[in-house]
């Protein structure tokens, strides 16, 4: 089997990528940063790994101290910061690893910008919420229609903490002072009915997108944790997504995010140019990390017409987050939730074949 290396943070979605690889027969090495990496390193699927206190420490280790092998290991990244830094140092990383890329160094970073990817989406006929770019400290426009949603131009500049619904100018003024980056986006707030994600692989000029998911319960300004997956229809929207990914020149694992409003309008949000943690919940249909590792060194002529796909419809759940938001939040009856929990095909953390990460995670919560 190919040697596979995961460069990730301690976010709970990282365990899903480890399990995708492990269940396909790989023994990935995990190099993670953050305070809660122990639960990741407890996985039975790992062939090695190490935790670091900061992303810079992990980056330095991979660039300077990780061994050089005759056959380059495949490097996977999640969430955005590792993808950003690998692309920033792409020339050095390629001396040791097979990396996901979009051509020359900095191209993934270019497309990680909400401004740049939004312009490309519009070019390919997708709809985006109205958006203005605001410099921190400048007077706010007087003609905004509230509520609005704040977001960083690039996730690396601040992340989810800078995202918020502002219902009036006073709230927006307060939020703009807290945002970490010099520039940020003010967007139309869409009262979403659904979140819809498309998952795929791009390799040697070919784009494979077989599945999408829908999430219909979430808190305002937040994200859903219960997904219904299905094979994609090859419709007009699908073709626009494929054309957009092709133009980026990206090669790697990706997902494309949309939200749908009550009128059925689909709004494009962003493309994640790295492994998305939901891939484990997706694995009853397709194991994207394993497929990428299987195909990454093949020429265009050797690529199969289709990927190895499984069930046509299934469900997946980030069980603890969904229980907190949906049941404790009062939007879902506990008996309905238990029924959906029992019938779900995959969970984010609970796993009978790989139980230690769950116990480490629970222990860490009680310890704090």
């Amino acid at each position: 089997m190919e040697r596979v290396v995961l460069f990730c943070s301690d976010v709970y979605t990282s365990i899903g990528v480890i399990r995708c690889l492990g269940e396909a027969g790989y023994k990935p090495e995990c190099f993670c940063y953050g305070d809660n990496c122990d639960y990741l390193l407890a996985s039975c699927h790992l062939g090695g790994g190490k935790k670091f206190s900061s992303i810079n420490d992990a980056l330095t280790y991979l660039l300077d101290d990780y061994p050089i092998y005759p056959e380059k290991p495949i490097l996977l990244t999640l969430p955005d910061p590792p993808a950003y830094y690998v692309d920033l140092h792409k020339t050095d990383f390629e001396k040791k690893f097979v990396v996901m890329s979009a051509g020359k160094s900095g191209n993934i970073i270019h497309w990680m910008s909400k401004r740049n990817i939004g312009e490309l989406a519009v070019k390919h006929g997708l709809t985006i919420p109205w958006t203005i770019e605001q410099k921190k400290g400048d007077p706010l426009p007087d003609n905004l229609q509230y509520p609005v949603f704040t977001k960083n131009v690039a996730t690396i500049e601040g992340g989810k903490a800078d995202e918020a619904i502002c219902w009036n100018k006073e709230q927006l003024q307060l939020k703009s002072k807290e945002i970490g980056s010099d520039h940020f986006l003010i967007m139309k707030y869409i009262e979403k009915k659904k979140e819809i994600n498309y998952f795929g692989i791009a390799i040697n000029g070919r784009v494979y997108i077989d599945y999408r998911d829908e999430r219909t319960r979430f808190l305002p300004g937040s994200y859903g944790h219960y997904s219904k997956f299905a094979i994609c229809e090859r419709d007009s929207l699908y073709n626009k997504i494929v054309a957009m990914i092709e133009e980026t020149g990206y090669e790697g694992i990706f997902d494309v995010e949309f939200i749908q409003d009550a009128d059925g309008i689909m709004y494009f949000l962003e493309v994640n140019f790295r492994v998305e943690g939901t891939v484990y919940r997706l694995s009853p249909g397709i194991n994207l990390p394993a497929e990428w590792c299987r195909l990454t060194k093949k020429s265009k002529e050797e690529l199969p017409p289709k990927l190895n796909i499984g069930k046509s419809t299934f469900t997946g759940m980030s069980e603890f987050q969904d229980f907190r938001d949906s049941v404790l939040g009062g939007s879902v009856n506990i008996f309905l939730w238990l029924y959906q929990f029992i019938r779900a095909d995959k969970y984010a953390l609970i796993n009978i074949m790989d139980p230690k990460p769950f116990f480490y995670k629970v222990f860490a919560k009680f310890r704090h």
Side-chain angles (χ1 to χ4, degrees):
M1 299 289 284
E2 300 275 3
R3 184 182 293 271
V4 184
V5 173
L6 181 62
F7 177 18
C8 64
S9 77
D10 58 2
V11 294
Y12 76 92
T13 50
S14 298
I15 190 63
V17 182
I18 293 171
R19 287 170 173 166
C20 279
L21 294 165
E23 291 175 10
Y26 295 94
K27 297 293 286 185
E29 300 168 64
C30 176
F31 299 96
C32 65
Y33 62 93
D35 296 331
N36 300 307
C37 288
D38 289 337
Y39 83 102
L40 297 175
L41 299 177
S43 174
C44 68
H45 296 299
L46 288 182
K50 191 174 181 179
K51 64 178 180 180
F52 301 88
S53 59
S54 72
I55 188 171
N56 287 329
D57 290 342
L59 184 71
T60 300
Y61 175 84
L62 289 169
L63 286 174
D64 296 343
D65 299 325
Y66 188 82
I68 296 176
Y69 292 98
E71 192 75 14
K72 292 181 182 179
I74 296 168
L75 182 67
L76 301 178
T77 55
L78 86 155
D80 282 345
Y84 177 96
Y85 283 110
V86 169
D87 193 48
L88 185 66
H89 300 279
K90 178 176 180 287
T91 302
D92 292 326
F93 269 101
E94 284 187 323
K95 295 174 183 176
K96 289 186 175 182
F97 303 98
V98 176
V99 302
M100 299 186 289
S101 75
K104 67 180 182 180
S105 176
N107 281 5
I108 287 180
I109 295 171
H110 173 82
W111 295 120
M112 287 172 78
S113 162
K114 306 294 191 300
R115 179 200 314 114
N116 297 333
I117 200 65
E119 291 174 354
L120 185 65
V122 171
K123 176 183 175 182
H124 286 278
L126 300 175
T127 301
I128 65 172
W130 63 255
T131 305
I132 63 171
E133 188 170 335
Q134 179 76 14
K135 184 178 180 181
K136 189 173 181 178
D138 281 358
L140 296 172
D142 291 322
N143 59 345
L144 296 178
Q145 292 181 306
Y146 292 91
V148 298
F149 193 72
T150 60
K151 206 168 193 178
N152 279 289
V153 177
T155 307
I156 191 72
E157 296 175 349
K160 303 297 184 186
D162 289 339
E163 298 181 1
I165 304 170
C166 298
W167 296 93
N168 52 53
K169 188 173 183 178
E170 289 71 28
Q171 289 185 1
L172 180 57
Q173 285 175 327
L174 289 173
K175 187 62 186 178
S176 66
K177 294 175 182 178
E178 300 172 357
I179 288 175
S181 54
D182 292 332
H183 290 78
F184 64 97
L185 302 179
I186 302 173
M187 306 170 63
K188 175 184 179 181
Y189 171 66
I190 308 297
E191 190 168 348
K192 57 188 176 183
K193 182 180 179 182
K194 292 181 181 179
E195 298 170 0
I196 299 172
N197 284 17
Y198 288 77
F199 302 88
I201 289 174
I203 183 168
N204 284 331
R206 183 173 294 179
V207 177
Y208 299 93
I209 304 176
D210 287 296
Y211 288 90
R212 72 177 214 168
D213 79 348
E214 291 189 1
R215 308 174 199 181
T216 56
R217 61 186 190 220
F218 28 72
L219 297 176
S222 187
Y223 302 89
H225 301 290
Y226 178 62
S227 299
K228 295 181 179 180
F229 295 91
I231 292 177
C232 297
E233 296 179 10
R234 268 50 173 179
D235 55 11
S236 173
L237 177 61
Y238 178 94
N239 293 331
K240 291 173 182 176
I241 296 169
V242 170
M244 179 178 64
I245 297 298
E246 287 176 342
E247 184 164 340
T248 66
Y250 178 69
E251 296 200 352
I253 304 168
F254 66 90
D255 68 286
V256 186
E257 296 183 5
F258 291 85
I259 55 175
Q260 185 183 82
D261 69 9
D263 296 322
I265 299 174
M266 292 276 282
Y267 291 92
F268 167 83
L269 293 183
E270 63 182 339
V271 179
N272 291 312
F273 293 96
R274 38 81 171 171
V275 190
E276 214 282 56
T278 310
V279 292
Y280 187 61
R281 287 183 277 158
L282 176 65
S283 60
I286 188 167
N287 188 328
L288 282 181
E291 288 293 274
W292 170 250
C293 294
R294 179 174 73 92
L295 300 176
T296 189
K297 296 182 181 179
K298 291 185 180 295
S299 68
K300 189 171 185 177
E301 292 71 26
E302 296 174 311
L303 290 174
K306 294 182 180 179
L307 300 182
N308 292 327
I309 63 173
K311 297 179 72 172
S312 58
T313 59
F314 49 97
T315 60
M317 178 183 286
S318 296
E319 59 277 21
F320 294 102
Q321 291 80 3
D322 191 53
F323 184 85
R324 177 197 64 206
D325 291 354
S326 301
V327 178
L328 298 183
S331 61
V332 175
N333 179 281
I334 189 170
F335 297 107
L336 173 61
W337 187 89
L338 286 170
Y339 174 78
Q340 293 174 337
F341 171 78
I342 292 168
R343 292 180 60 86
D345 293 271
K346 287 288 181 179
Y347 309 105
L349 191 57
I350 294 173
N351 189 296
I352 295 174
M353 303 305 295
D354 185 29
K356 284 187 178 180
F358 166 77
F359 291 107
Y360 270 75
K361 194 77 168 173
V362 171
F363 175 74
K365 283 191 176 294
F366 280 115
R367 186 178 59 189
H368 293 106

